[in-house]
Amino acid sequence: MSAEQSPAPTTPRREDGAPEQGYDFVVVSNRLPVERVVEDGTASWRRSPGGLVAALSPVMARNDGAWVGWHGAADETLERFDHDVFHLAPVPLSAQEVEAYYEGFSNATLWPLYHDVIAPPEFHRAWWNVYRRVNRRFAEMTAEVAAENATVWVQDYQLQLVPKMLRDLRPDLTIGFFNHIPFPPLEIFAQLPWRRAVLEGLSGADLIGFQRPGDAQNFQRCARRFLDVAFRNGEASFGNGDAEWTVRAHAYPISIDAEAIQELASRPEIKRRAQEIREELGNPETVFLGVDRLDYTKGIIHRIKAYGELLEDGRIEVGPSVLVQVANPSRERVESYVQLREQVEGVVGHLNGQFDTISHTAIRYLHHGYPFEEMVALYLATDVMLVTSLRDGMNLVAKEYVAAKTDGSGALVLSEFTGAAEQLRQALLVNPHDIDGLKDAMLRAKDMPPAEAKKRMRSMRRQVLGNDVNDWSEAFLRDLARTRPEAGPEEQR
């Protein structure tokens, strides 16, 4: 079977189309929660890192759960298989579909549009047609593996059409959707030629979750304008007659596995590595740190520009201070990302050429990923964390830094355009477009009295530790189960 064909149904079915047996809880996301590794010529699978996988693994284990997603290789069809606690249902994608559905419509149309048009979105009908076809394939696979009255949780912007497609295929299901990125205001969303179809797709869910209340309100305004459906107290009725259902749209801010990060940060070997990092940097008085995917939404250029001007102004010096910028490679076949990399590396090279000394570098720029243990050590070695996103659904790096600072040290400079800013109010909040204001905040963080820094960090740590990723998933699934109690996972009833 080619990757462009929808998989043929293999599950025994009753007359109403529901499977005779299947899984009571199904997660649907663009990628499966595993990644293929090859060691000594032998291929195997390992669990993917990340908060979503960690949060949903216990739910999967308790509820005989399945996960539907692409396994990461184009033009390859895999049978369903089990790994760890997961029953995995791979969805095949051709190379052409990866280019049009993922790199194209998802990341060159929706991503920039939903991030306030920081980069211009591209609108191509061919991309839209492939996006719709791939979403249909995900919906069909989900309909095959879900048990009668199962709960299905669809994840993120790549699959916005799946909820309604799935409702049409399997009206017995309880369907949730979570949007991990911002949802744009009406005036921006209106630019999307397929705006009505996307809203109809999302509205197939019983519960739609967003990172911030403002995102939920943006969705509700768009539904009122383009679907003529009015939400009241976050609820609205869709369909009619026997096919009527209620859609709820609310904020569920995502978080991290704070306990796991704390445990790592407390290990002696991680603490030793943090000390080694400072020594490798020349034992500076202040380590500034930025950790991001290399993405134009992250404000990396703004951060480096502010740091460069502080050097030019003589307000900081190379040696006593250093900026470490970790930029994880991202979407390297998308042209706007290629251009961003060239721009960032050009600015870093210019500043280093101007300010480096024989023994010290102004900016340590690292364009590759690191094991999470190394990142926790880097957090521990850092005095000032810089999160300067121009637009971000949440930004979990800010929360990871706070969780790692078990001794209460450190300062966080945080963009007010992140979802995290609504929760970490004791950070130094900045408008990253205001370079002078950003510079002042960086200096204030650098020179903050230890007592004030610890007071701020204690407050932020209470928030992060009291609202971790498990709280997020439990809150969403509890509310989803309440929409149709007979359909929720057993432990959520």
Side-chain angles (χ1 to χ4, degrees), residues 470-485:
N470 293 309
D471 296 317
W472 166 77
S473 63
E474 289 172 4
F476 185 93
L477 290 172
R478 181 178 60 246
D479 289 352
L480 179 58
R482 287 171 178 166
T483 66
R484 294 170 65 187

Side-chain angles (χ1 to χ4, degrees), residues 252-274:
Y252 298 86
I254 197 170
S255 193
I256 59 172
D257 188 347
E259 184 177 340
I261 293 175
Q262 279 204 121
E263 190 276 326
L264 278 174
S266 300
R267 293 181 185 176
E269 65 270 24
I270 299 295
K271 292 181 178 180
R272 284 195 299 271
R273 178 58 188 144

Side-chain angles (χ1 to χ4, degrees), residues 174-392:
T174 298
I175 304 169
F177 182 92
F178 190 80
N179 196 68
H180 291 261
I181 67 173
F183 195 89
L186 169 63
E187 295 75 14
I188 291 179
F189 186 77
Q191 297 179 38
L192 185 65
W194 308 279
R195 59 202 184 188
R196 182 181 176 89
V198 168
L199 292 171
E200 289 174 342
L202 290 170
S203 299
D206 297 287
L207 176 63
I208 309 173
F210 298 92
Q211 298 281 24
R212 299 191 285 186
D215 296 321
Q217 293 162 9
N218 286 343
F219 168 77
Q220 293 170 25
R221 286 187 62 211
C222 291
R224 178 63 181 267
R225 171 66 177 83
F226 299 116
L227 300 182
D228 195 27
V229 173
F231 279 78
R232 291 180 177 83
N233 298 319
E235 298 185 1
S237 295
F238 283 77
N240 53 71
D242 294 338
E244 186 173 346
W245 69 97
T246 298
V247 177
R248 295 164 176 83
H250 298 288
Y252 298 86
I254 197 170
S255 193
I256 59 172
D257 188 347
E259 184 177 340
I261 293 175
Q262 279 204 121
E263 190 276 326
L264 278 174
S266 300
R267 293 181 185 176
E269 65 270 24
I270 299 295
K271 292 181 178 180
R272 284 195 299 271
R273 178 58 188 144
Q275 185 59 42
E276 289 173 359
I277 290 172
R278 290 192 74 98
E279 292 172 358
E280 290 168 4
L281 293 172
N283 286 315
E285 296 173 9
T286 306
V287 176
F288 295 87
L289 174 65
V291 175
D292 312 88
R293 280 190 312 102
L294 187 58
D295 192 288
Y296 49 77
T297 65
K298 301 300 183 180
I300 298 173
I301 291 291
H302 297 65
R303 179 186 315 155
I304 295 174
K305 178 178 175 62
Y307 191 80
E309 289 190 8
L310 288 173
L311 291 171
E312 292 172 354
D313 298 342
R315 298 167 77 183
I316 60 173
E317 296 180 1
V318 173
S321 295
V322 63
L323 170 61
V324 179
Q325 176 61 58
V326 178
N328 292 312
S330 175
R331 300 166 188 163
E332 296 190 290
R333 300 203 310 175
V334 178
E335 181 59 30
S336 58
Y337 289 79
V338 174
Q339 294 175 0
L340 175 65
R341 178 180 177 180
E342 294 174 352
Q343 184 181 9
V344 169
E345 293 179 352
V347 173
V348 169
H350 171 75
L351 289 174
N352 282 345
Q354 184 176 357
F355 293 104
D356 278 5
T357 67
I358 294 295
S359 55
H360 296 95
T361 296
I363 301 174
R364 293 289 183 95
Y365 175 71
L366 308 167
H367 182 245
H368 45 84
Y370 288 92
F372 194 64
E373 292 81 1
E374 181 77 356
M375 294 309 306
V376 172
L378 190 52
Y379 292 150
L380 291 181
T382 294
D383 301 292
V384 180
M385 186 78 207
L386 303 176
V387 178
T388 57
S389 306
L390 308 181
R391 189 76 165 93
D392 230 335

Side-chain angles (χ1 to χ4, degrees), residues 60 84 109 116 147 185 195 322 354 418 493:
M60 304 288 277
D84 201 354
T109 300
D116 290 353
R195 59 202 184 188
V322 63
Q354 184 176 357
T418 65
R493 290 180 185 174

Side-chain angles (χ1 to χ4, degrees), residues 36-252:
R36 181 184 277 151
V37 292
V38 179
E39 296 179 352
D40 299 324
T42 301
S44 61
W45 299 95
R46 69 182 176 196
R47 183 187 291 199
S48 301
L52 181 64
V53 177
L56 296 184
S57 298
V59 186
M60 304 288 277
R62 290 195 300 267
N63 293 279
D64 192 28
W67 198 305
V68 174
W70 178 47
H71 65 282
D75 296 318
E76 180 182 46
T77 299
L78 298 181
E79 298 297 324
R80 299 173 198 166
F81 65 100
D82 293 344
H83 178 81
D84 201 354
V85 300
F86 306 112
H87 304 292
L88 302 170
V91 175
L93 294 178
S94 69
Q96 183 270 334
E97 286 170 338
V98 173
E99 181 179 356
Y101 145 77
Y102 181 72
E103 296 173 356
F105 195 80
S106 294
N107 291 316
T109 300
L110 294 176
W111 181 268
L113 185 77
Y114 282 32
H115 286 85
D116 290 353
V117 198
I118 294 169
E122 299 180 44
F123 304 117
H124 300 294
R125 286 170 290 179
W127 288 358
W128 163 252
N129 289 334
V130 177
Y131 180 85
R132 185 171 51 189
R133 183 172 79 227
V134 169
N135 271 240
R136 167 66 63 177
R137 188 176 304 145
F138 274 80
E140 290 173 346
M141 178 65 80
T142 305
E144 286 188 30
V145 303
E148 182 181 4
N149 293 329
T151 293
V152 176
W153 195 359
V154 185
Q155 306 288 331
D156 224 359
Y157 65 104
Q158 301 97 341
L159 302 174
Q160 292 178 108
L161 307 184
V162 168
K164 184 58 169 66
M165 292 175 171
L166 194 55
R167 179 171 291 276
D168 292 340
L169 291 168
R170 292 286 306 279
D172 61 295
L173 300 176
T174 298
I175 304 169
F177 182 92
F178 190 80
N179 196 68
H180 291 261
I181 67 173
F183 195 89
L186 169 63
E187 295 75 14
I188 291 179
F189 186 77
Q191 297 179 38
L192 185 65
W194 308 279
R195 59 202 184 188
R196 182 181 176 89
V198 168
L199 292 171
E200 289 174 342
L202 290 170
S203 299
D206 297 287
L207 176 63
I208 309 173
F210 298 92
Q211 298 281 24
R212 299 191 285 186
D215 296 321
Q217 293 162 9
N218 286 343
F219 168 77
Q220 293 170 25
R221 286 187 62 211
C222 291
R224 178 63 181 267
R225 171 66 177 83
F226 299 116
L227 300 182
D228 195 27
V229 173
F231 279 78
R232 291 180 177 83
N233 298 319
E235 298 185 1
S237 295
F238 283 77
N240 53 71
D242 294 338
E244 186 173 346
W245 69 97
T246 298
V247 177
R248 295 164 176 83
H250 298 288
Y252 298 86

